[in-house]
Amino acid sequence: MGVLGAQGKVGQAICAAVEAAADLEFVAGVDKGEDLAAFSAAGAQVVVDFTHPDVVMGNLKWLVEHGIHAVVGTTGFDAGRLDEVRSWLAGQPEVGVLIAPNFAIGAVLSMRFAEQAARWFESVEVIELHHPNKADAPSGTAYRTAGIIAAARAEAGVGPSPDATTTELEGARGADVDGVRVHSVRLAGLVAHQEVLFGTQGETLTIRHDSIDRNSFAPGVLLGVRRIGALPGLTVGLDPLLDL
Amino acid sequence: MGVLGAQGKVGQAICAAVEAAADLEFVAGVDKGEDLAAFSAAGAQVVVDFTHPDVVMGNLKWLVEHGIHAVVGTTGFDAGRLDEVRSWLAGQPEVGVLIAPNFAIGAVLSMRFAEQAARWFESVEVIELHHPNKADAPSGTAYRTAGIIAAARAEAGVGPSPDATTTELEGARGADVDGVRVHSVRLAGLVAHQEVLFGTQGETLTIRHDSIDRNSFAPGVLLGVRRIGALPGLTVGLDPLLDL
Amino acid sequence: MGVLGAQGKVGQAICAAVEAAADLEFVAGVDKGEDLAAFSAAGAQVVVDFTHPDVVMGNLKWLVEHGIHAVVGTTGFDAGRLDEVRSWLAGQPEVGVLIAPNFAIGAVLSMRFAEQAARWFESVEVIELHHPNKADAPSGTAYRTAGIIAAARAEAGVGPSPDATTTELEGARGADVDGVRVHSVRLAGLVAHQEVLFGTQGETLTIRHDSIDRNSFAPGVLLGVRRIGALPGLTVGLDPLLDL
Amino acid sequence: MGVLGAQGKVGQAICAAVEAAADLEFVAGVDKGEDLAAFSAAGAQVVVDFTHPDVVMGNLKWLVEHGIHAVVGTTGFDAGRLDEVRSWLAGQPEVGVLIAPNFAIGAVLSMRFAEQAARWFESVEVIELHHPNKADAPSGTAYRTAGIIAAARAEAGVGPSPDATTTELEGARGADVDGVRVHSVRLAGLVAHQEVLFGTQGETLTIRHDSIDRNSFAPGVLLGVRRIGALPGLTVGLDPLLDL
């Protein structure tokens, strides 16, 4: 397999993970300004792309045209971009492309479980906890998680979480994301953590994900590399590879 | 709907929950020594049985023969008993029977999520925490959870959780249930709680269930009552009703 | 010992706790409209008052004048009322009065530990979690806890918790109580819970208190009854009895 | 200030922390085989020693004799060694030596709070959770914490934690350290974590410490460096510097 942006922080971590995996072989790395032909020359079957929204479409087009599967963690894919990738793949029916916003398996499972649990509890709230250097609150993951929960509840006809608050100090009850309350904690000593709390009469269910290492995407990327050859077409999100 | 053992603790809680539910109507209760015919007389379509292993088979046979659906929380169902129930149902193709060891939705979801997550993490351990009057350690639920996890890992070819312990004070590393370490905490002020901890490089996923009320089975029982009419034959466990 | 408001919910719980304690004896209970003289007639040495702000001052004055120690959980004591109690006690130097806003030992210890830890961490936030029928957010305890932490940090010259948030969905970062962020979760299945999170480079310290029973004040009240005879004058808060 | 073992892992972390502190100045580092005279030559007022039990006594004797305060994280101090240090200090009444087994402020506070809370709860158990490469179970910190709790309970006349377990799968109830149950979890994705759980009727108090960085000793060492000049004689443990 090959890596785009191999000299970058993420690229290096992926190279290290591939090296530690007995069943995978790193054959080529390409960085900014270098020629993609290195991948075909080296016989790469899968290429990982954690680059930049500005260049990822060009990379992907080239890979698909050259019959090379792609595992993509680069951000910035909207519906239009996904359709464009699908159109390229239409002409290459044996090629697989995996595009995922999150490769941390724990985070992906958390969201999936939250979606499955959502309709079975009266109440739900999300607490996300991060290091104090984070600029946005709530985190993108919390935002997405709350949206998924809200959609699952709406589909099942579950009403809003009960809440008798009449006197609130501004902000105490958190932010409202599609009717789901989200609380953002910023604390030195933390990295990236999230808790989804579900509750009904007499019982609560908590799904907590803790990430203390920016390399926690590596196992998910390797999973993608191993599986994408058997998944022709476009796959969005890691979920379909998790056999849930 | 009707309730067997309506005067018992569990029966009373179910009656109260049914009363609070706008879409269900309690029509008959039968206790020890009373005649099951009260159910047919009252036109009960579903009967809930939280009685005793000694009498549950007689109850079930009667209900099936009279075309009444059953939701059963009574314990003591082994493979032989389940087969017997199936044989009765063969002659009554429109009748549904739900037999579940646990009706707490949070507990059922916890086990299901643990099963789904099991193969994706290097490490897994279970901590169950209960009030100090509990006689057995680990709890039945923890035992079952560890077994489900172990089976899922075995099926996926995942090896044992890494553990470099060379010096152990006896018992520190917990009990070994099919290769999964289980720790039992007994503490005043607790009721019934369980945490399943999964970990891999840089991230952990925790699924925690807290039950502080012995009535937490009620929503699951009501779900069974509502759905069993549309599920002819024998259903074991609440999972199939949770649309996972 | 005696109990004021013995027929009330709290009064009954205290009577039950006293009955279960081998070293204490219940000698008299007085309810609304009944004569306080029952206490002196029965030889009560200590009387517990969980009544109402409207009547507690009258009760206390009578008890102090009759040389009976008092343990008071009734709310509504401001500086003026406390001074008035002190003036009564000046003339009865052997009598002790304990007035405490919170008798749950775990809650009192939590606040005390939070105060002690406050100055040693860069960051601190408070999460309080309650049942969804609660009207105010944050809870009174969270409010008080944040205030205590803020005062301890100010005294030690600790600056504000670091926070790089530039994009916030309204409310995500919680309420600001004297510079300490407080988050209020409302969830079915919960009773009363609080977490104080402290963090500094590479480590966090969490102090969590869970209360699932409205009788968790009982051990604190009994502690007060046992100790107040040796504590002449006015004692405010349970802390001085906890030998910290 | 100066650092012994300045080129070692811990030494480098301390040098970095000192550099980041505006009020402290690094003047000299001495490594294995180098001359301690560098400290006096550079005018070091305090020297930090994270070296080895084999050499620490020689270092300390020299520092005390030269009127230099010492902050020591090296292990291996038994009663005999502590007495020897005291005898050196007797002749140098203005010199201060701080010897501490743990400089992580969060860990020190956790133990202290556990000690203070110990007598007020019926039940107590300790759960420590570490990365799976750890050789000993329980951890040294958990061992020490349980011992401190047991001593505090014994002193207050508190009996054993209630436990009705009659059927136990071997190891489920953890290890017994002076009557306190200790559970050791080993999980990929964790670093070093500990929870002390206290419980009594209807309430629990949890003190949790999470350390995800081996440099979490740095703030405690700097605190020692800043304060030791004002603490002549021998100080054992960080507690006396925490103004508890």
Side-chain angles (χ1 to χ4, degrees):
Chain A
M1 53 81 69
V3 176
L4 266 155
Q7 303 292 329
K9 227 171 171 177
V10 174
Q12 285 182 16
I14 291 168
C15 291
V18 168
E19 204 151 325
D23 62 329
L24 296 176
E25 194 193 355
F26 174 79
V27 297
V30 168
D31 284 276
K32 208 177 164 179
E34 296 178 351
D35 195 347
L36 294 165
F39 290 131
S40 42
Q45 293 170 299
V46 184
V47 165
V48 174
D49 184 313
F50 274 74
T51 57
H52 192 273
D54 290 351
V55 298
V56 68
M57 292 302 279
N59 293 342
L60 261 179
K61 189 160 195 278
W62 188 94
L63 290 169
V64 171
E65 284 172 1
H66 287 76
I68 300 176
H69 309 297
V71 172
V72 184
T74 307
T75 56
F77 282 87
D78 52 18
R81 288 196 155 196
L82 293 175
D83 279 344
E84 206 173 341
V85 175
R86 277 190 200 97
S87 73
W88 301 333
L89 284 164
Q92 293 282 72
E94 80 290 357
V95 177
V97 171
L98 167 65
I99 299 176
N102 200 329
F103 278 92
I105 291 178
V108 174
L109 289 173
S110 290
M111 273 187 266
R112 178 77 172 128
F113 296 161
E115 185 181 15
Q116 291 178 290
R119 60 176 297 186
W120 298 112
F121 292 88
E122 275 177 79
S123 297
V124 59
E125 303 210 358
V126 177
I127 305 175
E128 54 93 347
L129 313 95
H130 282 83
H131 58 86
N133 300 320
K134 193 169 179 60
D136 50 322
S139 68
T141 300
Y143 223 105
R144 238 179 357 254
T145 305
I148 288 169
I149 291 168
R153 286 169 68 96
E155 199 191 315
V158 180
S161 298
D163 182 358
T165 309
T166 51
T167 312
E168 183 194 357
L169 184 63
E170 199 191 321
R173 292 285 294 113
D176 183 319
V177 177
D178 297 349
V180 176
R181 294 286 171 164
V182 179
H183 309 270
S184 299
V185 174
R186 297 291 172 263
L187 204 79
L190 293 180
V191 183
H193 316 259
Q194 182 171 295
E195 258 183 19
V196 183
L197 293 92
F198 292 105
T200 196
Q201 180 194 330
E203 57 168 344
T204 56
L205 175 67
T206 305
I207 299 167
R208 181 175 174 119
H209 179 239
D210 294 272
S211 177
I212 58 166
D213 181 346
R214 282 151 208 274
N215 296 343
S216 59
F217 55 80
V221 171
L222 264 55
L223 176 68
V225 170
R226 288 183 181 110
R227 295 277 188 94
I228 192 60
L231 285 166
L234 177 63
T235 302
V236 179
L238 203 61
D239 306 47
L241 282 70
L242 295 180
D243 306 331
L244 298 175
Chain B
M1 55 83 67
V3 176
L4 267 156
Q7 303 293 327
K9 229 173 172 173
V10 174
Q12 285 184 15
I14 291 167
C15 292
V18 168
E19 204 149 325
D23 62 329
L24 297 176
E25 193 194 356
F26 174 79
V27 297
V30 169
D31 284 277
K32 209 177 163 180
E34 296 179 351
D35 195 346
L36 294 166
F39 291 128
S40 42
Q45 292 170 300
V46 184
V47 166
V48 175
D49 183 314
F50 274 73
T51 57
H52 193 272
D54 290 351
V55 299
V56 68
M57 293 301 279
N59 294 341
L60 262 178
K61 190 160 194 282
W62 188 94
L63 292 169
V64 172
E65 284 172 0
H66 287 75
I68 301 175
H69 310 296
V71 172
V72 185
T74 307
T75 56
F77 282 87
D78 53 18
R81 287 195 156 198
L82 293 175
D83 280 343
E84 208 173 340
V85 176
R86 275 189 202 98
S87 74
W88 301 332
L89 286 163
Q92 294 283 72
E94 79 291 356
V95 177
V97 172
L98 167 65
I99 299 176
N102 199 331
F103 278 91
I105 291 177
V108 174
L109 289 174
S110 290
M111 273 189 264
R112 179 75 171 133
F113 295 160
E115 185 181 15
Q116 291 178 288
R119 58 177 298 187
W120 299 111
F121 292 88
E122 276 177 77
S123 297
V124 59
E125 303 210 356
V126 177
I127 305 174
E128 54 92 346
L129 313 95
H130 282 83
H131 58 86
N133 300 321
K134 192 168 179 60
D136 52 322
S139 68
T141 300
Y143 223 105
R144 235 174 7 248
T145 306
I148 288 168
I149 291 168
R153 286 169 68 95
E155 201 191 314
V158 180
S161 297
D163 182 357
T165 309
T166 51
T167 311
E168 182 192 358
L169 183 63
E170 200 190 319
R173 292 284 294 113
D176 183 320
V177 177
D178 297 348
V180 176
R181 295 286 173 164
V182 180
H183 309 270
S184 300
V185 174
R186 297 293 171 263
L187 203 79
L190 294 180
V191 184
H193 316 259
Q194 182 172 295
E195 259 185 17
V196 184
L197 294 92
F198 292 104
T200 196
Q201 181 194 329
E203 57 169 343
T204 57
L205 176 67
T206 305
I207 299 166
R208 179 171 176 120
H209 180 240
D210 294 272
S211 176
I212 58 166
D213 182 345
R214 282 152 209 274
N215 295 344
S216 59
F217 54 81
V221 171
L222 263 56
L223 176 69
V225 170
R226 289 185 180 107
R227 296 276 188 95
I228 192 61
L231 285 167
L234 177 63
T235 301
V236 179
L238 203 61
D239 307 47
L241 282 70
L242 296 180
D243 307 330
L244 298 176
Chain C
M1 54 81 68
V3 176
L4 266 156
Q7 303 292 330
K9 228 171 174 177
V10 175
Q12 285 183 15
I14 291 167
C15 291
V18 167
E19 205 151 325
D23 62 331
L24 296 176
E25 195 193 353
F26 174 79
V27 296
V30 168
D31 284 276
K32 209 176 162 180
E34 295 179 352
D35 194 346
L36 294 166
F39 292 130
S40 43
Q45 293 170 298
V46 184
V47 166
V48 174
D49 183 313
F50 274 73
T51 58
H52 193 273
D54 290 351
V55 298
V56 67
M57 292 302 279
N59 293 341
L60 262 178
K61 189 159 194 278
W62 188 94
L63 291 168
V64 171
E65 284 172 0
H66 287 77
I68 300 176
H69 310 296
V71 171
V72 184
T74 307
T75 56
F77 282 88
D78 52 18
R81 288 197 156 198
L82 294 175
D83 280 343
E84 205 173 342
V85 176
R86 278 190 199 97
S87 73
W88 301 333
L89 285 163
Q92 293 282 71
E94 79 290 355
V95 176
V97 171
L98 167 66
I99 298 176
N102 199 329
F103 279 91
I105 291 178
V108 174
L109 289 174
S110 290
M111 274 187 264
R112 177 78 172 130
F113 295 161
E115 185 182 16
Q116 291 179 290
R119 59 177 297 185
W120 300 112
F121 293 88
E122 275 178 79
S123 297
V124 59
E125 303 210 358
V126 176
I127 305 174
E128 54 93 347
L129 313 95
H130 283 83
H131 58 85
N133 300 321
K134 193 169 179 60
D136 51 322
S139 68
T141 300
Y143 223 105
R144 234 175 5 249
T145 306
I148 288 168
I149 290 167
R153 286 169 68 96
E155 200 191 314
V158 180
S161 297
D163 183 358
T165 309
T166 51
T167 311
E168 182 192 357
L169 184 62
E170 199 190 320
R173 292 284 293 113
D176 183 320
V177 177
D178 297 348
V180 176
R181 295 286 173 165
V182 179
H183 309 270
S184 299
V185 174
R186 296 293 172 264
L187 204 79
L190 293 181
V191 183
H193 316 259
Q194 182 172 295
E195 259 185 17
V196 184
L197 293 92
F198 292 105
T200 197
Q201 180 194 330
E203 57 168 343
T204 57
L205 175 68
T206 305
I207 299 167
R208 180 174 174 118
H209 180 239
D210 294 272
S211 175
I212 58 165
D213 181 346
R214 284 154 207 272
N215 295 343
S216 58
F217 56 81
V221 170
L222 264 54
L223 175 68
V225 170
R226 289 185 181 108
R227 295 276 187 94
I228 191 61
L231 285 166
L234 177 63
T235 301
V236 179
L238 204 61
D239 306 47
L241 282 70
L242 295 180
D243 306 332
L244 299 175
Chain D
M1 55 81 67
V3 176
L4 266 155
Q7 303 292 329
K9 228 174 173 173
V10 175
Q12 285 183 15
I14 291 167
C15 291
V18 167
E19 205 150 326
D23 62 330
L24 296 176
E25 193 194 354
F26 174 78
V27 297
V30 169
D31 284 277
K32 209 177 164 181
E34 296 179 351
D35 194 347
L36 294 166
F39 291 129
S40 42
Q45 291 170 300
V46 184
V47 166
V48 174
D49 183 314
F50 273 74
T51 58
H52 192 272
D54 289 351
V55 298
V56 68
M57 292 302 279
N59 294 342
L60 262 179
K61 191 162 194 280
W62 188 93
L63 292 169
V64 172
E65 283 173 1
H66 288 76
I68 301 175
H69 309 297
V71 172
V72 184
T74 307
T75 56
F77 282 86
D78 53 17
R81 287 195 156 197
L82 293 176
D83 279 345
E84 207 173 341
V85 175
R86 276 189 201 97
S87 73
W88 302 332
L89 285 164
Q92 294 282 71
E94 79 290 356
V95 177
V97 171
L98 167 65
I99 299 176
N102 200 330
F103 278 91
I105 290 177
V108 173
L109 288 174
S110 290
M111 274 187 264
R112 179 75 171 134
F113 295 161
E115 185 181 17
Q116 291 178 289
R119 59 177 297 187
W120 298 112
F121 293 88
E122 275 178 78
S123 297
V124 58
E125 303 210 357
V126 177
I127 305 175
E128 55 92 347
L129 313 95
H130 282 83
H131 59 85
N133 300 319
K134 190 169 180 60
D136 51 322
S139 69
T141 299
Y143 223 105
R144 236 176 3 249
T145 306
I148 288 168
I149 291 167
R153 286 169 68 96
E155 201 191 314
V158 180
S161 297
D163 183 357
T165 309
T166 51
T167 310
E168 182 193 358
L169 183 63
E170 199 190 321
R173 291 285 293 112
D176 183 321
V177 176
D178 297 348
V180 176
R181 294 287 172 165
V182 180
H183 309 269
S184 300
V185 174
R186 297 293 171 262
L187 203 80
L190 293 181
V191 183
H193 316 259
Q194 182 172 296
E195 258 184 19
V196 184
L197 293 92
F198 292 104
T200 196
Q201 182 194 328
E203 57 169 342
T204 57
L205 175 68
T206 305
I207 299 166
R208 180 172 175 121
H209 180 240
D210 294 272
S211 176
I212 58 166
D213 182 346
R214 282 153 209 273
N215 295 343
S216 59
F217 54 81
V221 170
L222 263 55
L223 176 68
V225 169
R226 289 184 180 108
R227 295 276 188 94
I228 192 61
L231 284 167
L234 177 63
T235 300
V236 179
L238 204 61
D239 306 46
L241 283 70
L242 296 180
D243 307 331
L244 299 175

